[in-house]
C-alpha cells in the first residue's frame, strides 16, 4: 500500500516537528517537502516490509521509514547530537565517522540513507561511498541527496560576494564540518559510477526548502520560476545499487 501525503504529514508532525535532531526546530518545519520527496523515492524501491535501513546523519528518514513502512531502522552520525531524539523514537543510535576507514562496525543493511551529508566530507565521494558499500547487503541500495553545485542560490551568493562553502579542512574527531564541496550532476554520476555501486538514477530535484531567514524566503519565492530549468534546482537525488 502506498503511503499518502496526508499519512506522511501526520507522521512528520507527530514524530519530527518539535525535535532538534541535528538542526534547529524551525528547520524541520520548513523542510517537510524535502523529506516527502525523498520518502516517495525510497518507497518506489519496493523494499520488503521487514527491510533494514541505516540512516547516516540526523535520523529523520529512519524515523519515518520505521513509522510508515515498518523498516528496522538505526541511525548513525559522527557525533551524538541527535541521540536523545533518536532514542525517544525507539531507534538505536550508533557512532559513524565516514571520514575514517573503520567508519563503523555495523551489521549490513538493505538500505543506507545519506541525506545532505556527502557535501560535508572533505574527500572524493567515491572513496566515502566504498566505505558505505561495506555496510550494505548484496542487492541493497544507497539513497543519497546533496545540494546541487549549479543551484541558483550559489550563483546569487557569488554575485553578492558571499561564501558558498566552508573552510576546506580535515575534521577533528567527532567534528561536523560545514559544506566542503557541492557537486554537479555530472560529478555525482561519475563518483557513483567509479565506486562499488551501480548507478540506478541521478536527477535534479527541487527540495522545497525556502530558507532560514525572511530575506531568504522572499528571494526563494522570487526565484521560483527559475526552478523550471533543471540545473538551477536546489538538489541532486541519487540511487545506487549494491550489486
Amino acid at each position: 500500500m502506498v503511503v499518502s501525503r496526508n499519512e506522511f504529514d501526520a507522521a512528520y508532525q507527530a514524530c519530527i516537528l518539535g525535535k532538534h535532531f541535528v538542526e534547529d526546530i524551525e528547520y524541520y518545519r520548513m523542510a517537510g517537502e524535502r523529506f516527502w520527496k525523498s520518502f516517495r523515492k525510497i518507497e518506489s524501491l519496493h523494499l520488503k516490509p521487514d527491510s533494514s535501513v541505516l540512516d547516516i546523519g540526523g535520523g529523520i528518514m529512519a524515523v519515518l521509514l520505521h513509522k510508515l513502512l515498518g523498516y528496522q531502522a538505526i541511525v548513525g552520525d559522527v557525533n551524538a547530537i541527535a541521540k536523545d531524539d533518536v532514542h525517544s523514537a525507539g531507534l538505536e543510535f550508533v557512532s559513524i565517522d565516514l571520514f575514517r576507514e573503520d567508519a563503523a562496525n555495523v551489521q549490513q543493511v538493505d538500505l543506507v540513507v545519506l541525506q545532505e551529508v556527502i557535501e560535508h566530507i572533505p574527500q572524493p565521494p567515491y572513496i566515502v561511498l566504498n566505505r558505505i558499500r561495506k555496510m550494505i547487503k548484496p542487492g541493497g541500495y544507497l539513497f543519497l541527496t546533496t545540494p546541487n553545485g549549479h543551484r541558483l542560490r550559489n550563483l546569487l551568493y557569488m554575485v553578492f560576494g558571499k561564501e558558498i562553502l566552508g573552510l576546506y579542512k580535515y575534521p577533528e574527531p567527532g567534528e561536523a564540518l560545514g559544506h566542503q564541496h557541492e557537486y554537479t550532476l555530472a560529478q555525482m554520476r561519475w563518483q557513483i559510477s567509479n565506486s562499488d555501486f551501480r548507478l540506478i538514477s541521478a536527477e535534479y530535484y527541487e527540495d522545497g526548502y525556502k530558507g532560514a531567514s525572511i530575506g531568504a524566503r522572499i528571494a526563494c519565492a522570487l526565484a521560483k520560476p527559475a526552478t523550471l530549468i533543471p540545473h538551477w534546482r536546489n538538489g541532486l537525488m541519487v540511487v545506487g545499487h549494491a550489486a
Side-chain angles (χ1 to χ4, degrees):
M1 182 179 68
V2 176
V3 173
S4 71
R5 181 62 190 264
N6 286 342
E7 290 171 321
F8 176 87
D9 286 345
Y12 191 84
Q13 182 172 357
C15 301
I16 307 302
L17 295 185
K19 296 181 172 62
H20 284 280
F21 291 98
V22 294
E23 300 283 356
D24 61 78
I25 289 176
E26 179 67 10
Y27 172 88
Y28 296 111
R29 190 180 71 81
M30 302 294 295
E33 186 71 14
R34 168 185 289 167
F35 290 107
W36 165 245
K37 289 183 177 181
S38 294
F39 180 88
R40 287 299 303 273
K41 187 69 173 184
I42 293 171
E43 189 180 31
S44 74
L45 299 176
H46 301 298
L47 299 178
K48 295 179 180 178
D50 62 347
S51 292
S52 54
V53 56
L54 169 62
D55 184 357
I56 302 177
I60 293 83
M61 193 55 62
V63 173
L64 295 169
L65 291 172
H66 176 71
K67 175 74 173 179
L68 293 167
L69 298 179
Y71 291 175
Q72 303 170 36
I74 60 175
V75 177
D77 208 338
V78 69
N79 56 46
I81 293 173
K83 186 175 181 178
D84 289 344
D85 285 329
V86 169
H87 283 172
S88 73
L91 302 183
E92 179 185 355
F93 180 92
V94 296
S95 177
I96 294 180
D97 185 351
L98 292 176
F99 193 72
R100 298 170 56 90
E101 287 300 328
D102 55 343
N105 182 20
V106 295
Q107 188 172 6
Q108 286 186 321
V109 296
D110 298 297
L111 170 70
V112 165
V113 173
L114 198 68
Q115 289 187 278
E116 314 302 305
V117 171
I118 199 70
E119 67 274 9
H120 294 273
I121 304 173
Q123 277 188 328
Y126 72 92
I127 295 175
V128 179
L129 295 175
N130 285 345
R131 294 181 190 131
I132 293 173
R133 172 62 186 85
K134 298 173 184 177
M135 305 175 193
I136 301 177
K137 297 175 184 177
Y141 292 91
L142 166 73
F143 173 79
L144 178 155
T145 65
T146 190
N148 171 23
H150 281 158
R151 58 183 170 153
L152 184 60
R153 173 261 200 191
N154 288 356
L155 175 61
L156 294 175
Y157 269 40
M158 285 189 286
V159 168
F160 292 104
K162 294 186 67 174
E163 294 293 333
I164 296 172
L165 303 172
L167 298 174
Y168 199 78
K169 62 184 287 286
Y170 277 16
E172 299 296 328
E175 181 183 9
L177 299 174
H179 289 197
Q180 301 297 292
H181 189 96
E182 292 190 0
Y183 301 93
T184 67
L185 187 63
Q187 287 175 329
M188 191 50 64
R189 284 180 177 273
W190 187 93
Q191 296 291 336
I192 296 285
S193 298
N194 285 272
S195 73
D196 292 335
F197 288 96
R198 180 171 64 89
L199 181 63
I200 299 295
S201 64
E203 59 193 285
Y204 299 108
Y205 83 109
E206 185 54 36
D207 62 14
Y209 187 68
K210 296 179 174 61
S213 67
I214 293 176
R217 292 168 198 167
I218 293 172
C220 183
L222 292 174
K224 187 173 182 180
T227 63
L228 294 173
I229 301 172
H231 69 265
W232 279 355
R233 291 173 184 163
N234 246 16
L236 306 178
M237 184 179 289
V238 179
V239 177
H241 185 242

